[in-house]
Amino acid sequence: MAVGMRVIDADGHVQEDSTEILEYLPGNYREMALETPRSVGLVPPVVGLFPPLDHVHTSFRHSAASFNRAGRVRAPQWREFLDTVGISAAVLYPTAGLSIGRVNYPEVAVALARAYNDWLSDTHTSADERLSGMALLPMQIPAAAVEELQRAVTELGLVGAMLPSNGLRGHLGSQEYWPVYAEAERLGCALSVHGGCHANFGIDHLDVWPFVHALGHPWGQMIALAGIVSNGILDRHPGLRIAFLEGGVNWFVTCLERFDNSWAAFSQHDPAGRFCAVEPGGRVSDYVIAHADAGRVFVGCEGDELGLARLVELVGSSPLVFSSDFPHEVTAATCRHEIDELLENPDLTDPDKQAILAGNAERLYGLPVG
């Protein structure tokens, strides 16, 4: 890799250990979780703590990366990955917990979020100073989500929180969630929308996993961006920093183009002044790009995406953050290849490359500047 190029992984993942997380649940919830497998003749704990992600996340599929490691990836494996690839720091997201929005019992969502956040802090972020974590929030009860965000940041030292791209009863721009954005702005922490839960997207009938995966990630991000932008969240909270992760980059270009065309063709009465503050005759794309330039909107990318240089040409490099997705789909070797692809891209300048690989992630998460 090029000398002097610092790399921060803006989107890595943990692999939850349900047995360990059980110990962080309040006693009544722990007993219930242990009793459920017994009632169906299984040895506890077998039933997952989080709901299924969708209809295709089953045992009957695999990732090429799964054959290049043995056992669960924990802090020691993350430490080895960082050292091998040459990554300075990583921000960790859940795996099973990506379905937190699908928890139907609001009080259970509160207990699960707290337990996961405590487990993440104790087992990963406290184990290596290079590992930071994003909290889960019980968005089913917005007031509880505000309280948990404050606890996760101020007491556990997590750098922000994840918002599920799917599963909640309302879109992420819904007024009931506005207090969460206000609290994130007050705390100065990051929020991010993360895909991975593809149920009820209109693709439940698809039965080939790679295609569900290909469509589900960007579709969730497009809906989330539309809800947040259209409802004026970025205007209402100028100090907010929010990322949209694991959908690639081309969905973002599609949104900007489609938003512009539809905004020019149609209008909607806004008596409460709730919608985004696009100037009369202005373009939504210019509005979004201005917020990105101001450090409010970020988009996750990989190093080998065909549309990467095109997006930089259209909007600049300021919103882009490099994401490994380790250990889901990559190995140390494939991740290094992606970084090298980015570094060797002749259509990107060196300042663009350094911003994408580290500088933008430092701004998003409030990490120490290297």
Side-chain angles (χ1 to χ4, degrees):
M1 290 186 291
V3 176
M5 286 286 183
R6 176 172 157 87
V7 180
I8 294 176
D9 184 356
D11 178 16
H13 290 269
V14 300
Q15 293 183 311
E16 296 93 335
D17 187 317
S18 295
T19 304
E20 292 181 354
I21 296 176
L22 273 174
E23 298 304 314
Y24 291 90
L25 285 169
N28 52 338
Y29 289 109
R30 185 167 60 252
E31 293 167 7
M32 186 181 301
L34 288 169
E35 183 60 32
T36 299
R38 290 193 186 99
S39 68
V40 293
L42 300 174
V43 178
V46 174
V47 176
L49 296 178
F50 295 95
L53 288 165
D54 46 49
H55 69 294
V56 288
H57 275 88
T58 71
S59 299
F60 300 98
R61 62 182 180 86
H62 71 266
S63 163
S66 64
F67 293 104
N68 291 283
R69 61 174 186 269
R72 190 183 302 274
V73 172
R74 303 178 64 96
Q77 287 74 33
W78 257 105
R79 186 179 298 115
E80 180 182 0
F81 175 75
L82 297 179
D83 291 341
T84 301
V85 180
I87 295 176
S88 300
V91 180
L92 304 181
Y93 286 80
T95 296
L98 293 171
S99 70
I100 185 71
R102 299 190 71 199
V103 177
N104 287 326
Y105 312 110
E107 294 80 7
V108 172
V110 175
L112 277 176
R114 288 181 61 91
Y116 170 86
N117 295 338
D118 288 337
W119 171 83
L120 176 66
S121 175
D122 286 350
T123 60
H124 287 74
T125 62
S126 297
D128 193 312
E129 63 181 5
R130 296 175 296 176
L131 298 177
S132 299
M134 292 289 276
L136 290 182
L137 298 181
M139 296 291 283
Q140 291 84 343
I141 306 178
V146 169
E147 182 178 337
E148 182 59 16
L149 178 61
Q150 182 181 30
R151 186 185 79 92
V153 172
T154 62
E155 297 181 22
L156 302 181
L158 303 182
V159 294
M162 184 204 85
L163 306 178
S165 68
N166 189 18
L168 298 175
R169 65 182 182 181
H171 63 79
L172 288 176
S174 300
Q175 190 166 352
E176 62 186 308
Y177 305 133
W178 290 2
V180 176
Y181 298 115
E183 183 64 11
E185 181 182 34
R186 188 188 71 81
L187 292 169
C189 69
L191 293 178
S192 60
V193 181
H194 201 291
C197 183
H198 312 312
N200 301 317
F201 271 165
I203 54 176
D204 291 352
H205 60 289
L206 288 180
D207 56 359
V208 180
W209 160 241
F211 289 86
V212 176
H213 177 271
L215 295 177
H217 276 287
W219 182 232
Q221 300 299 344
M222 294 171 85
I223 296 171
L225 181 70
I228 288 169
V229 168
S230 66
N231 282 266
I233 302 301
L234 303 175
D235 302 314
R236 205 167 287 111
H237 303 291
L240 182 67
R241 306 189 305 276
I242 185 165
F244 300 84
L245 302 175
E246 207 166 314
V249 298
N250 287 312
W251 71 269
F252 190 62
V253 177
T254 298
C255 277
L256 295 182
E257 178 182 346
R258 297 293 299 175
F259 291 171
D260 280 348
N261 293 342
S262 296
W263 188 265
F266 304 100
S267 62
Q268 185 170 329
H269 188 45
D270 184 19
R274 178 168 55 90
F275 302 158
C276 53
V278 178
E279 296 294 332
R283 300 193 306 174
V284 178
S285 60
D286 292 334
Y287 166 88
V288 174
I289 292 170
H291 281 293
D293 289 341
R296 301 184 189 108
V297 175
F298 296 83
V299 177
C301 72
E302 298 172 2
D304 56 355
E305 295 186 63
L306 294 176
L308 186 58
R310 175 59 175 162
L311 181 61
V312 171
E313 179 184 352
L314 291 172
V315 308
S317 61
S318 61
L320 295 171
V321 292
F322 173 74
S323 306
S324 78
D325 196 38
F326 180 80
H328 289 170
E329 301 170 34
V330 301
T331 64
T334 59
C335 185
R336 286 196 64 155
H337 176 73
E338 287 188 9
I339 295 172
D340 288 339
E341 286 281 302
L342 192 152
L343 289 170
E344 295 166 7
N345 191 325
D347 297 319
L348 299 176
T349 67
D350 283 350
D352 286 334
K353 295 171 184 177
Q354 187 60 94
I356 295 169
L357 288 173
N360 296 336
E362 290 167 345
R363 292 189 298 121
L364 168 61
Y365 294 116
L367 301 176
V369 177

